[in-house]
Amino acid sequence: MRPGAVALAVCSLVVLGAGPPAPAPPPLPARMADTGGGTQLITAVAPKRTSTTGTVTWWDRTGGRWVRTGSAPARFGANGLVAGASREQGTNTTPTGVYGLPYAFGIEAAPRGTAYPYRRVHRDSWWCQDNDSRSYNRWSEPRAADCRAAESEHLITYGERYAHALVIGFNYERPVRGRGAGIFLHVNGRGATAGCVSVPKDAMRRILTWADPARRPHIAIGTAGGPTALVRY
């Protein structure tokens, strides 16, 4: 090959390889329609609506950018996920959407460093799920007279699952009867949940010591794509 041809070939390779690298995609919260307005966010993402597993990630907004702080494997409802606005009670589905986190609770003491409001579970602590009760979708201690035990969760009986938990504000502010009650972010049990989101115990403890009520954290639950895609919320 002539010397000029060699130079031309090398030059062509340089030209073909030229150009800046493709920019990294924005972090997930930056692609969402709504993150709740705070500067902390938990995302809970399942691959698709029928999935029972996925990933929980917690984020901080710092310097105008969302920064990933931690993540953990997550479990969802035994029957997958469904849009929160159309969910029905007793379907073992996890409601998608963006929700506040009113307070934390647990059978065990709050992890050291927890700033979030934290309520200890006692033997007379219940979560009312009775559609006919005035205490529907509320902590009841002791159990309200109009709230049937068969339609409620006796919190202390959930053992390790409720060692630590955060109340998810689904159907909480103005409860719609029959839509569902007692949706929490809590410690993993043996498998899929009845509609909650669960994570390993060490992750739940890390989330509690990270969450700062002054920064108004929310949780966003959704799928990687489709009508319930997290970026739609």
Side-chain angles (χ1 to χ4, degrees), residues 107 121-125 153-160 162:
I107 294 172
V121 172
H122 302 107
R123 294 202 172 275
D124 58 352
S125 303
E153 288 190 0
H154 192 192
L155 299 178
I156 203 164
T157 65
Y158 283 74
E160 189 77 351
Y162 289 173

Side-chain angles (χ1 to χ4, degrees), residues 79-201:
N79 288 323
L81 298 86
V82 69
S86 59
R87 184 182 186 270
E88 295 181 5
Q89 186 163 324
T91 55
N92 290 342
T93 53
T94 299
T96 63
V98 179
Y99 305 105
L101 298 163
Y103 60 92
F105 69 89
I107 294 172
E108 297 181 13
R112 182 171 296 184
T114 299
Y116 224 75
Y118 191 92
R119 190 167 187 175
R120 287 296 297 274
V121 172
H122 302 107
R123 294 202 172 275
D124 58 352
S125 303
W126 296 75
W127 195 274
C128 184
Q129 299 181 352
D130 188 336
N131 282 283
D132 296 326
S133 173
R134 289 173 294 177
S135 299
Y136 179 68
N137 203 20
R138 287 292 185 273
W139 182 294
S140 183
E141 188 174 325
R143 179 171 51 85
D146 68 345
C147 186
R148 292 168 290 174
E151 298 293 329
S152 305
E153 288 190 0
H154 192 192
L155 299 178
I156 203 164
T157 65
Y158 283 74
E160 189 77 351
R161 285 171 290 174
Y162 289 173
H164 306 294
L166 271 165
V167 176
I168 294 175
F170 166 73
N171 200 31
Y172 188 79
E173 293 300 327
R174 296 178 178 84
V176 176
R177 311 289 167 157
R179 183 153 293 167
I183 301 297
F184 311 128
L185 173 63
H186 65 75
V187 176
N188 282 341
R190 293 183 178 178
T193 73
C196 296
V197 180
S198 71
V199 293
K201 187 174 184 179

Side-chain angles (χ1 to χ4, degrees), residues 12 150 175 206 211:
S12 297
R206 283 187 286 142

